[in-house]
């Protein structure tokens, strides 16, 4: 039944992005209807207020390092979630422009029925589906882990259960946030719990939609660079094909425009992603370190360690997905001009060879995705963040000793 549902997510109007467009629409991040738009904006505003309440609570408990670190780990992630939601809602016209370009390009190429190009497109669509569904499963597991962690913590310790029953310890909570009533007992506890459950599910929906959309579009650019390289290599067939001057110029022009539009829309995508990724890279560096400290703290229970480990895995997986796919696009963009020089350029006259040189020069322009103005999203950055987080962890561990 699950496979049938996933198969239905395919959309002929969006060969690659069918599942992600479906998720964006039904996740409340893209809406045209005014009534629905108002309702979803109210949901986004409620999530924004919750993040503010987390910072208020962080200020209140700032003297307790253990509680503050647990609050901070989720508060920072909530902040990124709200930024991602705002990015999708406020700049949805730019996102739709990119998605329309992706879908129109693929539909046009599939209509030509070129076997090699079609196989490349179908291969990266299949890969993108696997990545999307795997990531959705990871986010779903993280959401359930966060929501159910207080229950497991409560039942895993008889001493803690007794302390809760006699009133010396509060009920376990999903996230640390402030509300204008006593949230440790009675109606205040249930209001806070329901609010926190709602925000956790909301955050998981936003993260799953934003990240899968961005990563799948990166997959599109990597795949289209392969298509462009193949088209450049087949500009003049095997050298024995008779290609007129006008036909040769048309093929060169098509390759030129293909690369030009990829550069244009990849730049637009980078403009949308770069501010969010800059914030996420900074927060991820700090949170990996903080989670490692919590894992090795003696007062941390076994169930809390499991929760922290799953949370840490989700953090690293998010960062890895972006860096890996961005690195793949960068690598392919540096290899695409090989197709020009692998073509039968020697079979053409001097005027065509000059045009080929100009095309080869244009194809040397690399497609890069950045995290703010300071660093590129690639595997070198991913490794550097892990090394930096480990360095911060060793400093904090020595300070505690």
């Amino acid at each position: 039944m699950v496979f049938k549902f996933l198969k239905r997510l395919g959309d002929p109007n969006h060969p690659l992005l069918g599942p992600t467009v479906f998720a964006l629409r039904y996740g409340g991040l893209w809406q045209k209807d005014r009534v629905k738009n108002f309702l979803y904006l109210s949901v986004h505003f409620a999530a924004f207020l919750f993040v503010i309440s987390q910072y208020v609570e962080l200020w209140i408990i700032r003297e307790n390092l253990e509680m503050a670190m647990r609050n901070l780990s989720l508060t920072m992630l909530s902040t990124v979630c709200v930024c991602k939601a705002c990015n999708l809602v406020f700049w949805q016209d730019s996102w739709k422009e990119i998605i329309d370009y992706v879908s129109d390009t693929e539909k046009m190429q599939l209509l030509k029925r070129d076997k090699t190009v079609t196989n490349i497109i179908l291969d990266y669509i299949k890969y993108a589906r696997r990545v999307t569904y795997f990531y959705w499963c990871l986010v779903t597991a993280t959401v359930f882990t966060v929501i159910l962690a207080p229950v497991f913590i409560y039942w895993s310790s008889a001493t803690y259960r007794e302390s809760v029953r006699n009133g010396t310890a509060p009920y376990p909570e999903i996230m640390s946030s402030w509300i204008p009533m006593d949230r440790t007992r009675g109606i205040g506890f249930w209001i806070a719990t329901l609010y926190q459950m709602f925000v956790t599910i909301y955050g998981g929906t936003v993260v799953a939609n934003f990240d899968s959309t961005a990563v799948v579009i990166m997959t599109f650019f990597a795949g289209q660079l392969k298509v462009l390289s193949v088209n450049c290599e087949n500009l003049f067939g095997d050298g024995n094909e008779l290609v007129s001057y006008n036909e040769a110029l048309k093929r060169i022009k098509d390759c030129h425009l293909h690369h030009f539009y990829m550069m244009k829309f990849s730049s637009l995508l980078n403009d949308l992603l770069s501010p969010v990724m800059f914030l996420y890279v900074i927060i991820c560096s700090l949170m990996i370190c903080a989670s490692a400290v919590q894992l090795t703290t003696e007062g941390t229970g076994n169930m809390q360690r499991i929760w922290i480990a799953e949370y840490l895995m989700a953090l690293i997986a998010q960062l890895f997905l972006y860096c890996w796919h961005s690195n793949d696009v960068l690598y392919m963009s540096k290899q695409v001009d090989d197709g020009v020089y692998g073509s039968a350029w020697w079979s053409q006259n001097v005027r065509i060879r000059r045009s080929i040189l100009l095309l080869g020069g244009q194809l040397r322009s690399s497609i890069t995705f950045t995290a703010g103005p300071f660093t590129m999203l690639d595997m070198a950055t991913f490794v550097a963040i892990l090394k930096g987080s480990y360095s911060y962890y060793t400093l904090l561990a020595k300070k505690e000793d």
Side-chain angles (χ1 to χ4, degrees):
M1 185 174 179
V2 174
F3 291 106
K4 287 184 179 180
F5 171 74
L6 294 177
K7 192 174 182 179
R8 289 176 59 188
L9 296 182
D11 185 349
N13 293 320
H14 302 285
L16 173 66
L17 292 164
T20 52
V21 170
F22 173 87
L24 286 169
R25 286 174 180 167
Y26 287 90
L29 295 164
W30 285 4
Q31 291 295 329
K32 293 182 180 180
D33 184 86
R34 290 186 177 181
V35 176
K36 288 183 179 179
N37 190 47
F38 175 77
L39 293 175
Y40 282 120
L41 286 177
S42 301
V43 170
H44 298 321
F45 184 69
F48 173 76
L49 290 180
F50 181 81
V51 174
I52 298 298
S53 73
Q54 286 182 298
Y55 281 104
V56 172
E57 179 67 13
L58 179 61
W59 175 258
I60 294 172
I61 63 174
R62 63 188 184 277
E63 301 296 335
N64 189 321
L65 180 60
E66 182 181 348
M67 293 178 63
M69 288 186 68
R70 185 176 185 277
N71 174 287
L72 190 62
S73 63
L74 291 173
T75 300
M76 293 294 99
L77 194 59
S78 301
T79 302
V80 175
C81 288
V82 169
C83 290
K84 289 179 177 179
C86 291
N87 188 290
L88 287 171
V89 172
F90 295 144
W91 284 277
Q92 63 178 290
D93 289 340
S94 296
W95 281 102
K96 288 179 179 178
E97 187 178 353
I98 295 172
I99 287 176
D100 288 341
Y101 160 71
V102 170
S103 300
D104 291 343
T105 299
E106 289 173 339
K107 287 189 292 184
M108 181 182 64
Q109 291 171 343
L110 291 172
L111 283 175
K112 292 181 179 179
R113 299 186 182 279
D114 184 301
K115 187 175 181 180
T116 304
V117 172
T118 300
N119 287 337
I120 293 174
I121 293 174
L122 293 179
D123 284 344
Y124 73 68
I125 287 177
K126 186 177 181 180
Y127 171 78
R129 292 283 195 277
R130 290 175 178 174
V131 171
T132 300
Y133 298 149
F134 167 77
Y135 189 68
W136 286 359
C137 290
L138 177 63
V139 173
T140 302
T142 304
V143 168
F144 277 106
T145 301
V146 172
I147 291 176
L148 297 177
V151 178
F152 291 135
I153 292 171
Y154 179 82
W155 288 107
S156 63
S157 173
T159 304
Y160 179 69
R161 289 199 302 272
E162 183 60 31
S163 299
V164 170
R165 287 171 186 151
N166 60 32
T168 57
Y171 284 107
E173 56 185 0
I174 298 172
M175 289 184 282
S176 177
S177 62
W178 176 84
I179 60 171
M181 62 179 70
D182 182 12
R183 68 175 192 275
T184 61
R185 290 288 188 279
I187 188 67
F189 169 77
W190 289 110
I191 291 174
T193 299
L194 291 174
Y195 194 12
Q196 290 166 10
M197 288 177 63
F198 154 74
V199 172
T200 303
I201 295 171
Y202 166 86
T205 303
V206 170
V207 168
N209 285 336
F210 185 93
D211 292 348
S212 61
T213 301
V215 167
V216 168
I217 294 175
M218 287 182 182
T219 302
F220 163 82
F221 284 115
Q224 285 297 312
L225 287 167
K226 293 180 183 178
V227 171
L228 178 57
S229 181
V230 168
N231 288 339
C232 289
E233 191 173 346
N234 295 329
L235 276 172
F236 314 109
D238 58 1
N240 296 319
E241 179 183 349
L242 183 62
V243 181
S244 67
Y245 176 75
N246 290 334
E247 177 63 21
L249 282 184
K250 179 182 179 300
R251 293 180 183 183
I252 293 172
K253 181 181 178 182
D254 289 342
C255 291
H256 167 85
L257 290 176
H258 192 180
H259 187 261
F260 171 78
Y261 283 115
M262 275 197 287
M263 293 296 296
K264 175 184 175 181
F265 285 99
S266 64
S267 177
L268 178 57
L269 178 63
N270 187 57
D271 291 341
L272 293 170
L273 288 181
S274 187
V276 177
M277 292 311 301
F278 176 63
L279 176 64
Y280 183 72
V281 163
I282 294 175
I283 288 176
C284 197
S285 302
L286 297 174
M287 291 306 100
I288 291 174
C289 169
S291 299
V293 171
Q294 288 178 286
L295 277 173
T296 55
T297 301
E298 291 184 1
T300 305
N302 291 332
M303 292 307 304
Q304 287 177 303
R305 284 193 172 93
I306 294 174
W307 176 86
I308 294 168
E310 206 281 335
Y311 171 79
L312 182 60
M313 183 179 70
L315 274 179
I316 295 174
Q318 275 185 306
L319 184 62
F320 175 79
L321 276 177
Y322 277 103
C323 292
W324 177 268
H325 290 92
S326 177
N327 192 84
D328 191 30
V329 175
L330 178 61
Y331 174 78
M332 285 304 305
S333 67
K334 290 183 177 180
Q335 302 294 319
V336 70
D337 62 330
D338 290 349
V340 174
Y341 304 110
S343 67
W345 57 267
W346 42 267
S347 65
Q348 302 302 305
N349 60 42
V350 174
R351 294 176 66 187
I352 294 297
R353 292 180 189 180
R354 289 172 181 168
S355 299
I356 294 171
L357 281 174
L358 291 174
L359 176 62
Q362 180 193 340
L363 296 184
R364 294 183 65 183
S365 300
S366 299
I367 296 177
T368 58
F369 296 103
T370 60
F374 303 110
T375 185
M376 291 197 324
L377 279 177
D378 54 17
M379 291 307 296
T381 299
F382 176 75
V383 174
I385 290 171
L386 293 184
K387 286 182 178 179
S389 299
Y390 179 74
S391 299
Y392 301 148
Y393 163 72
T394 54
L395 285 174
L396 287 174
K398 288 181 180 178
K399 185 176 179 181
E400 289 182 357
D401 292 341

